[in-house]
């Protein structure tokens, strides 16, 4: 499907998620956070989340997209509200980078790896199938998802060595 004349551009901050139809582009920047991306090729529906932590353990009164398990439930609610089933979607996983590779014990699973592990657990728990992933490593991932075509664009930026900034991001 060709690009819409004036696509709606949605930028996800950590903890955000968005679900929409044709005419929407969703973008985000990931470090240790993870995005789950759902796309329905026939209905041209899709959604993306940007979760920061695997779980908060005990859910609060309202689901919170900052946590992987709750972000998944919010996306599944959006899918159901559109009269579709999650199993009809192509699902992909992105992110989970180690943003502090030189800090702490190497034997400890960094938060990025914990987020990746949660994504895999959630996919299995809900009986879904991953159609691809780009996870782990170090650095940032710039992710763009065009719902009208299902096209995903990904650019990974490495951490800047010896920058004096622990995340590798240079101050402006």
């Amino acid at each position: 499907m060709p690009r819409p004349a004036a696509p709606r551009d949605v930028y996800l901050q950590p903890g955000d998620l968005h679900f929409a139809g044709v005419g929407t582009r969703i973008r985000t920047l990931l470090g240790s956070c993870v995005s789950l991306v759902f796309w329905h090729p026939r209905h041209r529906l899709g959604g993306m989340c940007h979760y920061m932590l695997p779980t908060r353990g005990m859910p609060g009164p309202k689901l919170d997209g900052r946590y992987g398990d709750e972000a998944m439930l919010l996306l599944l609610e959006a899918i159901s509200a559109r009269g579709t089933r999650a199993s009809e979607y192509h699902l992909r996983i992105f992110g989970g980078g180690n943003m502090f590779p030189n800090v702490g014990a190497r034997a400890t699973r960094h938060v990025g790896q914990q987020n990746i592990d949660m994504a895999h657990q959630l996919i299995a728990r809900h009986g879904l199938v991953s159609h691809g992933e780009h996870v782990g490593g170090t650095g940032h991932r710039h992710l763009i998802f065009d719902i009208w075509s299902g096209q995903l664009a990904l650019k990974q930026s490495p951490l800047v060595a010896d920058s004096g900034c622990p995340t590798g991001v240079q101050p402006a």
Side-chain angles (χ1 to χ4, degrees), residues 44-57:
R44 307 257 185 238
L45 296 169
M48 179 192 299
C49 68
H50 179 149
Y51 69 84
M52 302 165 57
L53 297 169
T55 186
R56 65 175 150 171

Side-chain angles (χ1 to χ4, degrees), residues 6-63:
R8 179 171 179 231
D9 200 42
V10 176
Y11 184 82
L12 298 184
Q13 297 287 344
D16 288 346
L17 62 94
H18 191 77
F19 192 89
V22 172
T24 304
R25 168 179 282 157
I26 307 173
R27 59 179 74 230
T28 198
L29 174 65
L30 300 164
S32 59
C33 296
V34 163
S35 280
L36 300 172
V37 180
F38 284 85
W39 184 63
H40 197 297
R42 193 178 51 156
H43 293 295
R44 307 257 185 238
L45 296 169
M48 179 192 299
C49 68
H50 179 149
Y51 69 84
M52 302 165 57
L53 297 169
T55 186
R56 65 175 150 171
M58 211 163 181
K62 183 178 172 191
L63 292 174

